[in-house]
Amino acid sequence: IQLHPNPTTGLIYITHSGTDAPFKLEIYTTEGKQVYTSEGLNLNGNEPIDLSYLARGVYFVKISTRENQFQEKVILH
């Protein structure tokens, strides 16, 4: 699973080299507050996730598929 661009100005793309399986996406602040959640998305990397409404800073993106979980830090500037 890859998340790009990072750092970002608001739009991120998520790609996966294995499958187009649906996934759950959660975004948290560094304090642990959930600021975004969505289920049933696909890992095809074609549609951006818009984070431009969030304040500048560091966030943690958690992606869950049936097989595994992935977490990455994202810098929004």
Side-chain angles (χ1 to χ4, degrees):
I1 296 176
Q2 293 181 336
L3 190 140
H4 53 89
N6 190 12
T8 181
T9 56
L11 297 178
I12 59 171
Y13 294 84
I14 299 167
T15 56
H16 185 270
S17 60
T19 178
D20 288 352
F23 68 96
K24 180 178 181 179
L25 174 68
E26 299 166 281
I27 299 177
Y28 296 89
T29 65
T30 55
E31 294 82 28
K33 180 182 176 188
Q34 187 177 37
V35 293
Y36 181 91
T37 186
S38 185
E39 292 190 49
L41 300 171
N42 287 322
L43 292 169
N44 58 19
N46 293 330
E47 294 192 31
I49 307 296
D50 186 3
L51 306 179
S52 62
Y53 64 93
L54 296 173
R56 293 178 179 183
V58 177
Y59 295 89
F60 292 97
V61 176
K62 179 180 175 184
I63 299 168
S64 304
T65 66
R66 284 184 234 161
E67 295 83 27
N68 54 37
Q69 290 186 354
F70 169 83
Q71 184 170 310
E72 186 169 333
K73 178 172 58 172
V74 171
I75 300 169
L76 182 62
H77 66 92

